[in-house]
């Protein structure tokens, strides 16, 4: 497996290519591969079209959940979206927090920021901004946000402990995060874990569910709860790029796989917040 900087470069290049191709109107390819239902980058995405604030040009199909469904957003809140891409979750969140709230998107791929800012300009929103930055060193002050959201991004960050430490730092006391992400169950085949495409596609970067939740707890969050979990089926057509037919059969029968989870956690919560979090989900910490 590549080192941390090489992984960041890989992900930045892959997602920059996706943004550039989408901006050019090339909906038939993502990173040079056919962007059909078997594409690594969009096998996990959920349907946003029913949500208020949905902007089709901002939806590149790169998520693995809908974090705003469980974020409990309220009018007037300050929200940060990590790995905001073309702005899909930002614009959905903005529809909830309203004109008196504010939503900041952070992404480290300049072409994604360019696309998000073009979408913002088209929509004419004044209370939305997009910033260039890495999740392990967010370009935001301490105690900036009421809520942090993210969609299928944290698994791509090599230093997840630093990422959650930064989320804690930028949240206000009593603030919380709601993140949809990918975790693993069992041992993924070595050929899959070492494949660059599978890492950028959020599969081989997934760590075990228990390890993921432990990272969050170590960062200092309380009331950590899993609100939703769903299995992600990696089609045989993708696995055939890396595994022999016998290896695919062995993988399927091993019980190993990847799951999308939507997780919440609170910073310095009140007793009432903590009770609500643990009573309304699978409370883990």
């Amino acid at each position: 497996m590549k080192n941390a900087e090489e992984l960041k470069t890989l992900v930045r290049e892959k997602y920059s290519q996706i943004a550039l191709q989408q901006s050019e109107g090339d909906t038939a390819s993502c990173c040079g591969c056919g962007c059909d239902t078997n594409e690594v980058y969009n096998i996990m995405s959920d349907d946003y079209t029913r949500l208020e604030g949905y902007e089709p040009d901002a939806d590149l199909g790169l998520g693995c959940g809908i974090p705003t469904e469980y974020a409990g957003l309220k009018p007037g809140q300050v929200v940060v979206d990590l790995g905001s891409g073309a702005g899909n979750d930002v614009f959905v969140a903005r529809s909830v927090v309203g004109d008196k709230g504010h939503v900041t998107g952070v992404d480290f791929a300049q072409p994604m920021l360019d696309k998000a800012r073009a979408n913002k300009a088209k929509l004419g929103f004044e209370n939305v901004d997009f910033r260039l930055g890495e999740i392990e060193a967010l370009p935001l002050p301490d105690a900036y946000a009421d809520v942090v959201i993210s969609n299928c991004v944290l698994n791509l960050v090599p230093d997840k402990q630093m990422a959650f430490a930064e989320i804690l730092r930028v949240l206000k006391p009593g603030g919380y995060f709601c993140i949809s992400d990918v975790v693993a169950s069992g041992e993924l085949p070595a050929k899959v874990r070492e494949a660059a495409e599978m890492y950028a596609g959020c599969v081989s970067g997934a760590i075990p569910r228990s390890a993921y939740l432990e990272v969050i707890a170590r960062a200092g969050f309380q009331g950590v709860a899993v609100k939703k979990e769903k299995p992600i089926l990696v089609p045989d057509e993708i696995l055939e790029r890396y595994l022999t037919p016998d290896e695919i059969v062995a993988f399927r029968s091993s019980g190993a796989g990847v799951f999308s989870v939507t997780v919440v956690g609170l910073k310095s919560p009140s007793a009432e917040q903590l009770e609500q979090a643990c009573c309304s989900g699978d409370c883990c910490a």
Side-chain angles (χ1 to χ4, degrees), residues 2-71:
K2 299 175 182 291
N3 64 35
E5 287 307 314
E6 289 172 332
L7 288 172
K8 288 181 184 179
T9 299
L10 167 70
V11 173
R12 185 183 289 110
E13 290 176 349
K14 291 290 186 181
Y15 284 86
S16 293
Q17 289 173 19
I18 291 172
L20 289 169
Q21 289 177 334
Q22 292 284 334
S23 295
E24 293 167 1
D26 181 4
T27 57
S29 64
C30 288
C31 301
C33 303
C35 201
D36 56 26
T37 57
N38 295 324
E39 178 54 54
V40 177
Y41 304 99
N42 61 14
I43 61 174
M44 312 174 190
S45 57
D46 281 7
D47 182 14
Y48 270 75
T49 57
R50 60 185 171 80
L51 300 181
E52 186 175 352
Y54 175 70
E55 170 53 45
D57 286 342
D59 183 7
L60 304 185
L62 300 174
C64 59
I66 304 178
T68 52
E69 279 192 321
Y70 296 92

Side-chain angles (χ1 to χ4, degrees), residues 1-284:
M1 180 60 76
K2 299 175 182 291
N3 64 35
E5 287 307 314
E6 289 172 332
L7 288 172
K8 288 181 184 179
T9 299
L10 167 70
V11 173
R12 185 183 289 110
E13 290 176 349
K14 291 290 186 181
Y15 284 86
S16 293
Q17 289 173 19
I18 291 172
L20 289 169
Q21 289 177 334
Q22 292 284 334
S23 295
E24 293 167 1
D26 181 4
T27 57
S29 64
C30 288
C31 301
C33 303
C35 201
D36 56 26
T37 57
N38 295 324
E39 178 54 54
V40 177
Y41 304 99
N42 61 14
I43 61 174
M44 312 174 190
S45 57
D46 281 7
D47 182 14
Y48 270 75
T49 57
R50 60 185 171 80
L51 300 181
E52 186 175 352
Y54 175 70
E55 170 53 45
D57 286 342
D59 183 7
L60 304 185
L62 300 174
C64 59
I66 304 178
T68 52
E69 279 192 321
Y70 296 92
L73 299 179
K74 299 179 178 63
Q77 286 182 320
V78 175
V79 180
V80 172
D81 179 23
L82 303 181
S84 49
N88 193 30
D89 287 294
V90 167
F91 299 129
V92 172
R94 191 263 172 205
S95 73
V96 181
V97 301
D99 293 337
K100 294 183 178 180
H102 189 93
V103 187
T104 295
V106 178
D107 205 287
F108 78 159
Q110 186 63 52
M112 282 292 186
L113 284 177
D114 294 341
K115 188 166 182 61
R117 287 167 177 165
N119 287 327
K120 172 193 170 181
K122 178 180 66 175
L123 294 168
F125 294 144
E126 296 295 331
N127 60 331
V128 166
D129 72 298
F130 294 94
R131 305 188 189 188
L132 182 68
E134 297 189 2
I135 294 175
E136 303 101 310
L138 290 170
L140 299 168
D142 295 353
Y144 173 81
D146 297 298
V147 185
V148 170
I149 61 174
S150 186
N151 195 349
C152 210
V153 174
L154 271 292
N155 62 84
L156 298 171
V157 177
D159 192 341
K160 294 173 178 58
Q161 196 67 64
M162 179 60 74
F164 278 102
E166 277 291 273
I167 294 171
L168 190 77
R169 179 185 67 79
V170 303
L171 279 170
K172 301 174 183 177
Y176 57 94
F177 72 78
C178 185
I179 291 173
S180 294
D181 212 351
V182 176
V183 296
S185 173
E187 187 71 18
L188 299 178
K191 293 178 184 177
V192 170
R193 287 187 283 107
E194 294 167 3
E197 180 186 30
M198 296 295 273
Y199 185 89
C202 303
V203 174
S204 65
I207 63 174
R209 181 184 190 271
S210 58
Y212 191 92
L213 298 174
E214 183 179 344
V215 167
I216 297 172
R218 281 204 308 266
F221 286 100
Q222 299 180 53
V224 180
V226 176
K227 296 295 186 180
K228 182 180 180 180
E229 181 172 346
K230 67 174 183 179
I232 296 168
L233 176 66
V234 181
D236 286 352
E237 290 86 346
I238 289 177
L239 293 177
E240 286 168 357
R241 303 174 192 175
Y242 314 103
L243 304 177
T244 68
D246 287 345
E247 288 171 332
I248 292 175
V249 171
F251 170 57
R252 296 290 191 208
S253 62
S254 71
V258 289
F259 294 80
S260 166
V261 293
T262 298
V263 184
V264 299
L266 301 98
K267 174 181 178 178
S268 306
S270 66
E272 182 180 0
Q273 282 182 306
L274 196 57
E275 182 179 1
Q276 288 177 347
C278 288
C279 289
S280 60
D282 175 16
C283 198
C284 307

